[in-house]
Amino acid sequence: MSAAEQEQLSIGEKFKDFIRNFRSVEGLKYMDRLHRVINLDLSSLLVDFQDLYRYNTDLANMLIDEPQKVLKEFDEALLELVTGEDAEFAKRKGKFHVRVQGLYETTKIRDIKTQYMNKLIQVEGIITRMRPVRSKMIKAVYRHEKEGCNAEFQWPYEEDEYLEDKIDRPLQCPVCGEAGGRFVLLRDKSVYVDWQEITLQERPEDVPGGQMPRSVTVELTEDLVDMARPGDLVTVVGIVRPSPAGGNDKAPYFELKIEANSLRVSEKALEEVAITRDDEERILELSKDPWIREKIIASVAPTIYGHWDLKEAIALQLFGGVPKVAPDGTRIRGDIHVLFVGDPGVAKSQLLQSAARIAPRSVYTSGKGSTAAGLTAAVLKDPKTSEYFLEAGAMVLADGGLAVIDEFDKMRPEDRASIHEAMEQQSVSISKAGIVARLNARAAVLAAGNPKYGLYDPQRSFIDNVNLPPTVLSRFDLIFVVKDVMAMEHDRRLARYILDVHSDYSKYVPEIDPQLLKKYIIYAKRYSRPKLTEEAKSIIESFFVTMRSSASKYGNEGQTPVPVTARQLEALVRLSEAHARMALKDRVDAEDAEEAVRLMLSFLGSVGLDVESGFIDYSMIATGASFHTRKLMTVIVDAIKRLREDGRPCVKLDDIIKEVTSQTKAAPDKVEETIRAMNRQGQIAEIRSNCYKEV
């Protein structure tokens, strides 16, 4: 068809011409999609904007500028096309919609201003709120109760007009033309569509520093409802509409909302970042460098002196292990959780900030200002409608990325407990006010906190130094104690490094440009899925077996130190896979497994060390007590039972200490400390002052 003939056609005819004649590599792309709509009993046809722009630029531009008029004509043309293919199916469905996706330009949520009103735009964001699905009346049916009329009619009377935010009553009957009598709304005969409202918020990485994230309300109708969940990253194409601010339709102020035409959920957490051919070549070139791992680690917080193991832990966390889903639906997480506990002023927060900047997707929050609802998800009540809806929290918003929590020890215990499920099962379950939902929270957690007494005391065990419960500690793959060591040579190097940074900070540039490193991480997560080799399996297995067998000589089961558990075995696999991913390898070799074992030993040596015996005892972290303490607890309970055999209601503290010290080598003050701890935990009861009985 010539350009002159194209010009003469109506919008609908131009669209039909596009559907019938657009060819791609696979053939007639949109005729195939049309047949798919009929075969799968769908009600909408997906059109890629780029295809329409290439085929008919004027029509594509008209769609952007006058979307309401053009989309209405598109829908009518689509109905005619479907009728031509299958008249019975078209009659049964009644109407069809053209859904446009893939506009060339994505508008930022904070840039949606008056200039975009009644235009077609594309926005990207995370769903933070989601209201329940409702039925919206689009055509009201009235009966005119008046002698001589009694006609029933649809309102608005014009075929292409629909009800907006409220039901308008007719002033006069369009059938008889008179205003007298009564107009009765017939709800059962009126026309409805499914309707849902969601709130889209800017992605955390798009928010300028120091500013509040902006959000926009999006209206979904018909087959677009319930396509996504809170926490999902979505791309919406729709028309910008004015809506009365605060529901007051008499005030001259309006807020802008989007009437969605199409909605696409990003299936993969990191697919929103485009990697060009040029980027890919640079990434593959980087991966061939034998020092690539060291360069990546050196690119984490280059202005901070030392802390190599901590930086390596962050680098491994950014790459992560390979998540696996078993045939029965069991999910094994690939995300690595890391915790730093250390003295004030050792740059923990700076390391966390650096990790948040490098991570392709991250949410930074402070434990002091976070509640359980703010971390996971909240059920809120709409003040206008009194209905309940879901709002996603930090862990859900960080889905597919990194959740950074500073001041982890300052959180209230009930708030901290809320992230248990998010860390292990990688989901957030909500059951409140009749809303039962499960949201994805596939995020790696990087947390930092200070010791209980201000400074870390090497004479006490790790569990006594931190104000964190064993239930949370056991979920971290790596925990590092960062001590402020005072040694002259170390202090001199540290001072020189900090002074050099301050005098000429421009030379402390990362080994790899942060933007390229971000794309390198995305590329690795997208395409690198390394598998364990036999050598790697053998190294991890021998480490696990050797560590556990070393503890068996200490006594009976339950009273022996447990150096490692199955949780550490899984953590070793994740660390090995992440180490292989850093070099974009498809196999986990011996060197990857050895490095994972080295990091694990570094972690266990500082955190799992029982200061009384000098042995590694991970069960201290899992249970909150070392094997010596557990053994002492059983002796104390047995002593109380034995001393109460003569019928006394309780046993005095001094008698218990005397009895226990005669049987064990434990110091009296240690026995007293353990008795008080057991009383606090409810394992024994204090009947009266310093007089105890077993529970």
Side-chain angles (χ1 to χ4, degrees):
M1 192 179 291
S2 69
E5 288 173 317
Q6 276 271 18
E7 201 63 42
Q8 299 301 314
L9 293 175
S10 67
I11 291 169
E13 290 300 322
K14 286 178 185 175
F15 181 70
K16 284 197 268 189
D17 178 57
F18 163 71
I19 296 293
R20 290 188 183 118
N21 299 313
F22 182 83
R23 283 187 174 276
S24 65
V25 183
E26 303 94 45
L28 291 169
K29 180 175 177 178
Y30 290 101
M31 285 308 289
D32 291 344
R33 284 192 184 178
L34 188 70
H35 294 141
R36 192 165 170 269
V37 166
I38 296 165
N39 295 336
L40 297 179
D41 195 25
L42 305 175
S43 57
S44 50
L45 177 80
L46 206 58
V47 170
D48 296 320
F49 182 78
Q50 288 97 327
D51 295 341
L52 184 65
Y53 190 86
R54 282 203 298 272
Y55 192 83
N56 190 328
T57 307
D58 292 339
L59 186 60
N61 288 332
M62 199 187 297
L63 171 64
I64 296 290
D65 294 331
E66 302 174 65
Q68 189 166 3
K69 171 188 166 189
V70 174
L71 285 169
K72 181 176 170 292
E73 299 244 8
F74 279 9
D75 291 353
E76 288 170 1
L78 180 59
L79 179 61
E80 288 174 31
L81 284 167
V82 176
T83 306
E85 297 289 326
D86 189 335
E88 192 181 321
F89 173 72
K91 188 179 178 185
R92 178 162 58 83
K93 281 284 184 184
K95 61 178 175 180
F96 296 89
H97 296 288
V98 173
R99 306 280 184 212
V100 181
Q101 69 171 20
L103 269 62
Y104 282 115
E105 191 179 336
T106 299
T107 307
K108 287 182 178 174
I109 289 174
R110 64 178 52 240
D111 292 341
I112 300 174
K113 303 281 193 313
T114 310
Q115 72 199 68
Y116 290 107
M117 201 181 286
N118 299 319
K119 298 274 195 291
L120 191 75
I121 65 166
Q122 177 172 288
V123 293
E124 190 176 67
I126 295 170
I127 299 177
T128 54
R129 291 185 178 185
M130 192 166 210
R131 288 176 169 77
V133 178
R134 294 186 158 190
S135 293
K136 182 183 180 182
M137 188 187 287
I138 55 167
K139 285 274 189 187
V141 173
Y142 284 99
R143 184 169 60 239
H144 185 205
E145 291 187 349
K146 186 177 184 291
E147 200 177 327
C149 183
N150 264 347
E152 290 183 5
F153 58 91
Q154 282 193 345
W155 187 259
Y157 197 62
E158 289 74 20
E159 198 177 318
D160 57 347
E161 284 189 21
Y162 299 100
L163 293 171
E164 287 295 326
D165 292 333
K166 58 181 181 179
I167 301 171
D168 294 321
R169 300 187 83 83
L171 298 173
Q172 63 178 48
C173 175
V175 180
C176 68
E178 292 188 23
R182 259 186 354 130
F183 292 101
V184 179
L185 176 64
L186 306 175
R187 287 194 179 87
D188 55 335
K189 291 188 177 179
S190 299
V191 183
Y192 301 87
V193 293
D194 290 331
W195 176 91
Q196 189 177 32
E197 200 172 71
I198 61 173
T199 302
L200 272 197
Q201 192 181 89
E202 290 177 301
R203 293 182 301 163
E205 56 268 32
D206 290 343
V207 181
Q211 295 201 25
M212 290 274 288
R214 300 278 177 86
S215 52
V216 66
T217 301
V218 178
E219 280 189 6
L220 308 175
T221 53
E222 301 184 54
D223 55 344
L224 295 180
V225 301
D226 271 349
M227 273 182 69
R229 295 183 292 183
D232 285 348
L233 180 75
V234 295
T235 305
V236 172
V237 173
I239 305 168
V240 179
R241 297 265 192 230
S243 174
N248 183 3
D249 52 0
K250 291 203 165 57
Y253 305 108
F254 293 84
E255 55 192 17
L256 298 178
K257 63 180 179 184
I258 296 173
E259 194 180 280
N261 170 261
S262 74
L263 180 142
R264 184 170 61 88
V265 181
S266 296
E267 292 297 324
K268 296 187 183 72
L270 299 166
E271 73 170 19
E272 68 269 17
V273 177
I275 294 176
T276 62
R277 187 75 202 157
D278 185 40
D279 289 333
E280 191 175 354
E281 283 173 11
R282 287 165 71 199
I283 287 165
L284 293 172
E285 188 62 40
L286 262 180
S287 68
K288 289 172 188 161
D289 185 339
W291 294 96
I292 180 62
R293 292 188 188 91
E294 285 75 11
K295 285 185 175 176
I296 291 169
I297 297 164
S299 298
V300 178
T303 55
I304 291 169
Y305 174 74
H307 297 321
W308 186 262
D309 278 1
L310 277 69
K311 291 179 181 180
E312 184 174 352
I314 289 172
L316 291 171
Q317 185 179 37
L318 291 171
F319 284 86
V322 181
K324 302 161 189 84
V325 181
D328 68 343
T330 306
R331 198 172 177 278
I332 302 169
R333 69 176 164 96
D335 292 309
I336 296 164
H337 302 317
V338 179
L339 172 68
F340 299 149
V341 175
D343 301 335
V346 288
K348 296 188 302 296
S349 295
Q350 285 283 56
L351 285 167
L352 265 59
Q353 292 274 15
S354 179
R357 280 194 297 272
I358 298 169
R361 184 174 182 181
S362 67
V363 173
Y364 188 97
T365 181
S366 171
K368 188 72 177 163
S370 300
T371 61
L375 277 172
T376 51
V379 174
L380 302 180
K381 191 174 185 179
D382 191 319
K384 283 191 280 185
T385 61
S386 294
E387 68 188 10
Y388 290 94
F389 57 89
L390 272 177
E391 184 168 75
M395 291 292 290
V396 177
L397 295 181
D399 182 37
L402 185 68
V404 183
I405 308 171
D406 203 357
E407 306 285 345
F408 194 61
D409 57 312
K410 308 290 190 303
M411 290 168 69
R412 294 182 308 172
E414 59 269 29
D415 296 335
R416 203 187 295 121
S418 68
I419 64 170
H420 285 186
E421 182 199 355
M423 288 179 75
E424 200 57 55
Q425 272 69 48
Q426 304 232 284
S427 61
V428 169
S429 299
I430 284 281
S431 181
K432 240 180 224 176
I435 293 176
V436 180
R438 197 170 184 194
L439 311 175
N440 286 327
R442 297 160 298 189
V445 175
L446 175 60
N450 291 332
K452 194 190 292 186
Y453 306 107
L455 288 173
Y456 195 89
D457 183 357
Q459 303 306 313
R460 291 172 176 267
S461 66
F462 174 77
I463 207 80
D464 292 333
N465 264 295
V466 295
N467 195 20
L468 295 167
T471 46
V472 169
L473 290 174
S474 62
R475 282 169 167 78
F476 284 99
D477 297 296
L478 290 173
I479 303 173
F480 288 99
V481 174
V482 199
K483 295 177 196 153
D484 189 2
V485 182
M486 283 185 276
M488 190 180 282
E489 196 49 47
H490 171 269
D491 292 345
R492 185 175 281 115
R493 286 201 298 270
L494 171 64
R496 198 168 289 152
Y497 194 91
I498 292 171
L499 293 168
D500 284 350
V501 168
H502 279 272
S503 60
D504 188 9
Y505 59 85
S506 58
K507 70 179 185 190
Y508 288 90
V509 291
E511 288 283 338
I512 303 168
D513 177 67
Q515 288 307 313
L516 180 60
L517 181 55
K518 205 173 269 195
K519 289 183 176 178
Y520 188 97
I521 293 166
I522 293 166
Y523 188 88
K525 283 189 150 187
R526 219 182 267 179
Y527 302 113
S528 175
R529 303 186 72 80
K531 286 192 167 60
L532 286 165
T533 58
E534 287 305 319
E535 303 95 38
K537 281 186 196 171
S538 173
I539 289 166
I540 294 170
E541 181 190 321
S542 62
F543 168 76
F544 182 71
V545 173
T546 308
M547 287 291 283
R548 284 176 75 88
S549 62
S550 67
S552 59
K553 59 177 175 285
Y554 291 106
N556 302 324
E557 195 176 335
Q559 293 185 350
T560 60
V562 182
V564 283
T565 64
R567 257 188 177 146
Q568 278 66 58
L569 188 64
E570 287 199 336
L572 280 170
V573 173
R574 285 191 280 273
L575 292 167
S576 306
E577 288 170 346
H579 196 261
R581 260 184 171 177
M582 283 167 81
L584 300 184
K585 295 196 299 190
D586 55 1
R587 290 153 48 89
V588 178
D589 298 331
E591 63 162 343
D592 303 312
E594 283 165 3
E595 185 56 25
V597 167
R598 186 194 73 77
L599 264 182
M600 184 62 70
L601 275 171
S602 168
F603 147 49
L604 292 171
S606 64
V607 173
L609 191 70
D610 180 2
V611 289
E612 289 178 52
S613 62
F615 298 114
I616 288 174
D617 181 11
Y618 182 78
S619 59
M620 238 180 4
I621 296 165
T623 64
S626 67
F627 82 100
H628 276 298
T629 308
R630 291 200 304 276
K631 200 170 182 179
L632 191 56
M633 283 174 173
T634 57
V635 173
I636 289 167
V637 172
D638 290 344
I640 293 172
K641 281 181 182 172
R642 197 162 47 251
L643 291 167
R644 283 191 66 224
E645 281 173 0
D646 58 5
R648 60 177 117 171
C650 60
V651 185
K652 288 186 176 174
L653 179 65
D654 292 341
D655 293 345
I656 303 170
I657 294 171
K658 194 174 174 184
E659 180 73 16
V660 172
T661 49
S662 68
Q663 293 179 47
T664 64
K665 295 176 183 175
D669 58 342
K670 174 67 180 173
V671 178
E672 185 179 343
E673 188 187 321
T674 308
I675 290 169
R676 305 243 185 248
M678 289 173 75
N679 180 42
R680 282 197 303 273
Q681 292 161 15
Q683 291 163 315
I684 57 175
E686 190 174 12
I687 301 299
R688 54 178 184 263
S689 180
N690 287 339
C691 198
Y692 298 89
K693 71 166 212 173
E694 76 277 12
V695 174

